[in-house]
Amino acid sequence: MVHPVEDELQLGLDALAPLPGGRALALGWLRAPQAPGAALAVEAASPCPIAHASFHPRPDLAGTQDDPPAQGFALLLASLPAEARLVLRAGEASAGLPLRAEGDLAAALAARPMQAGFALLQDCANSPALHPLLAEGPRPFGAFADWIARLNPVRGKVVEDALGLEEAETLTSLAGEVMVVVRGSTAFPREALLEAVPLGLLPDAVTGQTEAVAPPLLDWQAVALPQALVGYGRIDPAWLDRLSVLDLVLQVKPRGEEAHWLRCRPRAATVPDLLDAVCRTTPFAEPNEVAGVAALAQLRLLLARREAAFAPLLASLAAQRAAPEAAGRLPRLGLILAADDPVAARLFQVTAGEFEGRCDRLLVMGDAAEAVAQAFIRRGRLPVLVGPAAVQALREAAGRAGVLAVEAPRFAEAVARGRPAEAFSQPLGAAELARLLALHGTAGCESALSDTLARLLRLHRLRPGDPAFLPVQRGWTSPHAAELVNAHLARLWSIGPIGGRAEIAHG
């Protein structure tokens, strides 16, 4: 629906769709002269405020040489009264049209310029009032279904059909960090832009159905380096445990009006892997000293940013002490780590009593967690949790209860020596459990929690002169990146008591 020209004002409506709660979303466009006070409003017999409004260029709507440029809009209406009209006013001039539900919202959104859909998706992530758009209609991602189908899917990290772009590497950490590195075939100018919106599917534990969500991306910052566009932000880590699928929708503007829209599936990464990505290059990239120096400079900034974000939390947890009434009392929550070998299930079949006598509940983690858990489930004497449920239970216990943490290989060694009780000799108190999980998320060196636990227990028995942190050995991009990241991790691990003495980490 288009209103005719009246004193250079034009108003068009592409779609108007009712939403839950009596609200409605209007997608349309307008032309208005560059005059102060130009505004859109809804006129009706009862008040109808515009709860949210966003505007974007519409270069697809060509006009005459004298016409003002077209602007697209998305309006969230608090209600949709009968006989309502949308009115555009600029000075003494006005244009209006009736508001009647019409058009296919998903089709109208897909027909608009890609940057318009991306802007609305950003608004959806940041405004709860727009969340129903992701559930509009029967298809996944609701009103965005057709628009998302137009995105360029990235397989692994290789970008196809996007001239000048070669890779889009996307990573997440347990702490909720999001790292995006877009690499090109040529150097990026400083004005190149990189934006991202997380998009996921949240399963319902009762019905099994999934709900599309757009978790907010917090503290996002992106910078153009010679060899890559690097973006870093975070989402609430609780989302990572709950989502069955997490994608990142990227808007990349490498130069001028050129733009690409990508759909990526982030890879869960350890902290060293995530940070090393800043300095990685494409396989056939020519060595470039300027690019390498710029990448290391950006890495230093990210490390400083991480320390400012995570050091206060780690210091607070390290300063906590066990409550006096808990002294001498062993935790009743058991945790079997590194349960990676299915054959180990046989060992636990004959030693289950060691855990049943010490624990009220048992958590099992590892590649063979299901097989090991069956040894206890068949006996029916101890509640057992595995997978995401075990992770959630551990997080809920942090700060409130301790844990009897046992590494499956070490337990097997203790049983072989005929002294299985030795495997339970180093329980973690409530504060230490919280510290363990925080260290694993912010400074964990391996994906397995058992590595972080081994490093924490090593801190407890550290002798004078021993280093508090053992550097991570991996295939680093460069020795300079390895040095920077290992020094950063060492500072995080050195916060708090070490081998009975208090340490203060210096940057």
Side-chain angles (χ1 to χ4, degrees), residues 134-409:
L134 290 166
E136 175 72 16
R139 293 183 295 171
F141 306 113
F144 290 95
D146 291 338
W147 181 85
I148 288 173
R150 296 174 59 195
L151 296 171
N152 185 353
V154 176
R155 314 296 182 188
K157 61 181 179 180
V158 177
V159 179
E160 298 178 345
D161 303 322
L163 187 64
L165 304 186
E166 293 191 358
E167 293 183 348
E169 186 172 14
T170 53
L171 306 163
T172 59
S173 77
L174 290 174
E177 297 166 285
V178 175
M179 178 76 78
V180 179
V181 184
V182 177
R183 305 181 181 97
S185 54
T186 58
F188 291 101
R190 289 186 177 181
E191 60 271 18
L193 297 175
L194 171 64
E195 299 174 275
V197 176
L199 196 61
L201 294 177
L202 180 66
D204 187 296
V206 178
T207 65
Q209 296 179 335
T210 57
E211 173 190 358
V213 293
L217 183 58
L218 308 173
D219 302 327
W220 174 258
Q221 292 182 8
V223 63
L225 303 180
Q227 90 287 5
L229 304 178
V230 178
Y232 175 86
R234 61 184 178 86
I235 62 176
D236 187 334
W239 283 109
L240 298 181
D241 294 334
R242 300 168 57 203
L243 294 177
S244 59
V245 171
L246 174 64
D247 285 345
L248 285 179
V249 178
L250 306 184
Q251 179 170 262
V252 185
K253 295 183 176 180
R255 47 189 62 82
E257 296 299 319
E258 179 186 352
H260 305 279
W261 292 269
L262 312 176
R263 183 179 181 182
C264 308
R265 182 69 49 86
R267 174 172 60 86
T270 63
V271 173
D273 186 26
L274 179 133
L275 295 174
D276 193 44
V278 176
C279 298
R280 284 199 280 269
T281 61
T282 56
F284 303 108
E286 294 285 340
N288 186 316
E289 184 177 352
V290 173
V293 170
L296 289 172
Q298 180 62 22
L299 178 58
R300 289 187 181 93
L301 291 175
L302 284 177
L303 299 181
R305 193 172 160 192
R306 292 187 87 249
E307 287 176 36
F310 298 136
L313 169 66
L314 295 175
S316 173
L317 294 174
Q320 295 180 23
R321 294 292 183 268
E325 63 271 15
R329 192 173 66 202
L330 290 178
R332 299 295 297 176
L333 177 65
L335 170 63
I336 298 177
L337 288 165
D340 300 323
D341 186 359
V343 178
R346 301 175 185 174
L347 170 67
F348 290 102
Q349 287 176 2
V350 297
T351 59
E354 298 287 342
F355 292 86
E356 292 166 349
R358 292 178 170 89
C359 307
D360 296 326
R361 189 167 52 148
L362 183 63
L363 315 178
V364 186
M365 298 182 182
D367 294 340
E370 292 282 356
V372 171
Q374 285 301 319
F376 298 91
I377 293 173
R378 282 193 290 266
R379 292 167 63 90
R381 301 174 186 174
L382 194 61
V384 184
L385 296 176
V386 299
V391 173
Q392 184 60 30
L394 199 60
R395 284 186 172 152
E396 290 174 355
R400 300 190 300 107
V403 64
L404 279 173
V406 176
E407 298 173 78

Side-chain angles (χ1 to χ4, degrees), residues 97-113:
L97 50 80
L99 284 174
R100 292 190 294 267
E102 62 176 66
D104 183 325
L105 187 57
L109 185 57
R112 295 155 79 84

